[in-house]
Amino acid sequence: MKHFPIFMALEGRRVVVSGGGEAALAKLRLLLKTEAKLTVVAKTPAPEIVDWAAEGRLTLIDRAMEAGDALCARLFYAANEDDAEDARVADLAHRDGALVNVVDNLQDSQFITPAMVDRDPVVVAIGTEGAAPVLARAIKKDIEERLSPRLGLMARIGKAFRAKADALPFGVKRREFWADYYAQDIATEDAAASTLDSLLDKHLNASAKEGRVELVGAGPGDPDLLTLKARKALDAADVVIYDRLVAPEILELARREAVMLSAGKEGFGPSVTQDAINDMIVTHARDGAHVVRLKSGDPTMFGRLDEEIAACDAAGIAWSVVPGITSASAAVAALGQSFTKRGRNSGVRFITGHDTKGFADHDWKTLAREGEVAAIYMGKKSARFIQGRLLMHGADALTQVTVIENASRPEQRILATTLGELEPTLTNAKLAGPALVFLGLAPRAALSAAQQHEMEAAI
């Protein structure tokens, strides 16, 4: 982000525009919606500017700009539609201490004016840092159609009602009151005032809200793979208790006011205990919060889901599960492979490399058979153990193995190897992110290259 969006207080503040043509008019039509003290400096101002000056809506200086014209100005627009003149007046404004925008010149501007959806006092600003103004206009059009034209009226009346609404406890109850109000489309001031009074009475006399828990899958990391239901849960959550592997981009989607609590777990490393996580969930839900327990991938896959459900049941707290795309599905898609294939395998095993007791033991004899396919979660640090167990039970050292680090994320990495070379391949790769190990699968492109090499060697 090269431009940080802010809303600047302009009430009673001086804003200066240099120029009297179409570019200046475009800026003035926006600025006249503010309560700023506007000054236009132009030798040949457009008739509209002359009329606005006659109406007292702005001050017109009908000459070329001089030093001192932008003194005490909070903002300055160079809108002369002439590069040399814009550069000259921008330099003068800089010396006078104003923040300068040169119209249609991103490089020489200290600030930019975004596209805006105006439902005063509700204002939505849309910026693309000059990269795609057409896109900004398309987004503006979409938002314009979604927001009621009466939203500004409702917001102004709601603002005046805030002192009365403070009778509700701060937090969930107050948010629910305002959510109820703004969910309506009210046409008149009298209707809005009446609605606010009745809603306040309803919420003041409502019984205490019971908390609830949603156990939500965050998917493998790519925010585009987050389900719509998970997105809605994040948008409504009062408290989000999240795992270490949940991508920061997904945490950004949570409601701004939500309490964000890390419940990180790391194999063979420092971790928040499961009992402590259960306590966090139950404590916040008992306080009436909508708790989202956010887990990487799918909560039903090696996510200690049953333990957290049991804790909710024991505390009498309502819960629901929102499944997510498991990391193995995203990873196998990156390989260009499927879990099952006619003539190769009719089943796939999802196993873990380690559990709470250490390295996990499995039916290694069955897994060692030719054609078996397995997706091994948490297999990075247990790779040597897995390799040894499989080879000990007769697995072919040339069995294809693929390791996918950070599946679905921009930093995704794919390593194609064999069971016999799994270690030291992993050690040499110095993987830093979460990784899945696939037994019996290879990336389609790597597999094609290997087959081509074998054909060339045979000739």
Side-chain angles (χ1 to χ4, degrees):
M1 187 188 297
K2 294 181 180 178
H3 293 80
F4 184 74
I6 61 170
F7 286 88
M8 181 176 286
L10 290 183
E11 182 183 5
R13 302 288 183 168
R14 192 162 185 253
V15 175
V16 178
V17 177
S18 174
E22 287 299 323
L25 284 169
K27 295 303 178 188
L28 286 167
R29 289 187 187 106
L30 279 176
L31 291 167
L32 284 166
K33 294 182 177 183
T34 74
E35 297 179 32
K37 292 184 176 180
L38 298 177
T39 297
V40 177
V41 185
K43 288 176 69 175
T44 54
E48 293 96 327
I49 297 175
V50 175
D51 291 343
W52 289 331
E55 294 167 3
R57 300 181 69 187
L58 56 81
T59 299
L60 175 60
I61 303 175
D62 54 352
R63 58 165 170 77
M65 183 167 167
E66 299 174 359
D69 283 343
L71 280 173
C72 300
R74 178 151 283 191
L75 301 176
F76 175 85
Y77 287 90
N80 293 281
E81 302 173 62
D82 178 279
D83 291 345
E85 180 64 5
D86 279 341
R88 185 187 76 83
V89 300
D91 181 59
L92 292 174
H94 279 302
R95 295 182 188 185
D96 286 344
L99 279 174
V100 173
N101 172 274
V102 182
V103 176
D104 293 333
N105 184 339
L106 184 66
Q107 182 176 350
D108 294 333
S109 295
Q110 291 176 296
F111 71 95
I112 56 177
T113 303
M116 283 183 272
V117 177
D118 183 8
R119 298 287 189 275
D120 183 36
V122 178
V123 179
V124 181
I126 305 130
T128 63
E129 299 195 333
V134 172
L135 175 61
R137 285 194 291 272
I139 296 170
K140 175 183 175 179
K141 180 176 180 293
D142 185 50
I143 296 174
E144 288 273 13
E145 293 170 352
R146 291 169 182 263
L147 296 183
S148 166
R150 292 177 287 278
L151 184 61
L153 168 69
M154 292 180 65
R156 286 193 296 274
I157 297 168
K159 182 179 180 180
F161 197 82
R162 293 189 72 86
K164 286 187 179 179
D166 286 349
L168 290 165
F170 179 79
V172 176
K173 289 201 73 169
R174 202 179 296 177
R175 285 199 302 271
E176 287 184 337
F177 164 77
W178 288 115
D180 275 359
Y181 172 61
Y182 285 111
Q184 303 180 56
D185 189 6
I186 300 172
T188 68
E189 188 169 341
D190 288 343
S194 173
T195 299
L196 283 166
D197 284 329
S198 61
L199 280 176
L200 181 59
D201 185 61
K202 170 188 167 185
H203 283 265
L204 282 171
N205 294 306
S207 57
K209 176 191 170 186
E210 291 187 3
R212 62 191 178 98
V213 175
E214 287 188 281
L215 302 130
V216 178
D222 181 351
D224 287 342
L225 295 179
L226 193 69
T227 67
L228 287 174
K229 196 166 187 179
R231 180 67 183 86
K232 290 176 183 176
L234 283 172
D235 195 51
D238 300 310
V239 177
V240 178
I241 302 171
Y242 62 92
D243 282 346
R244 179 180 63 89
L245 297 180
V246 175
E249 297 86 352
I250 290 174
L251 296 178
E252 285 290 327
L253 298 174
R255 193 167 59 83
R256 187 179 298 275
E257 297 83 4
V259 176
M260 306 297 289
L261 300 173
S262 173
K265 285 178 175 289
E266 185 172 355
F268 304 101
S271 299
V272 178
T273 67
Q274 188 59 51
D275 285 344
I277 295 171
N278 294 347
D279 286 343
M280 275 195 280
I281 294 170
V282 168
T283 298
H284 287 284
R286 276 179 170 162
D287 287 342
H290 175 183
V291 178
V292 166
R293 172 69 173 108
L294 193 62
K295 298 167 176 284
S296 176
D298 177 51
T300 68
M301 190 72 72
F302 305 119
R304 310 285 290 273
L305 179 67
D306 288 342
E307 296 170 58
E308 292 173 7
I309 288 175
C312 291
D313 283 340
I317 293 167
W319 55 268
S320 60
V321 178
V322 180
I325 294 176
T326 185
S327 300
S329 293
V332 79
L335 303 184
Q337 288 273 26
S338 61
F339 282 125
T340 59
K341 181 181 178 182
R342 253 187 318 190
R344 183 191 66 196
N345 66 308
S346 58
V348 60
R349 295 181 180 231
F350 295 89
I351 64 175
T352 179
H354 65 81
D355 54 25
T356 56
K357 299 176 182 177
F359 294 135
D361 245 324
H362 300 286
D363 183 357
W364 301 112
K365 185 175 181 180
T366 299
L367 284 169
R369 291 187 312 209
E370 184 178 357
E372 288 293 317
V373 172
I376 307 172
Y377 289 72
M378 295 169 279
K380 185 171 64 175
K381 293 182 179 178
S382 55
R384 191 176 294 280
F385 169 78
I386 293 165
Q387 178 188 40
R389 285 291 189 274
L390 287 169
L391 292 175
M392 185 192 316
H393 285 83
D396 189 339
L398 296 179
T399 301
Q400 295 160 353
V401 175
T402 305
V403 182
I404 301 94
E405 179 189 27
N406 294 315
S408 85
R409 305 186 189 195
E411 62 273 26
Q412 173 180 282
R413 189 160 48 139
I414 299 173
L415 303 177
T417 184
T418 62
L419 180 60
E421 293 296 320
L422 180 57
E423 279 293 355
T425 298
L426 281 189
T427 297
N428 293 338
K430 295 181 170 59
L431 302 180
L436 283 109
V437 178
F438 284 100
L439 176 71
L441 293 180
R444 193 173 294 279
L447 180 59
S448 299
Q451 289 172 341
Q452 180 66 27
H453 178 73
E454 289 173 5
M455 289 174 59
E456 291 172 355
I459 294 174

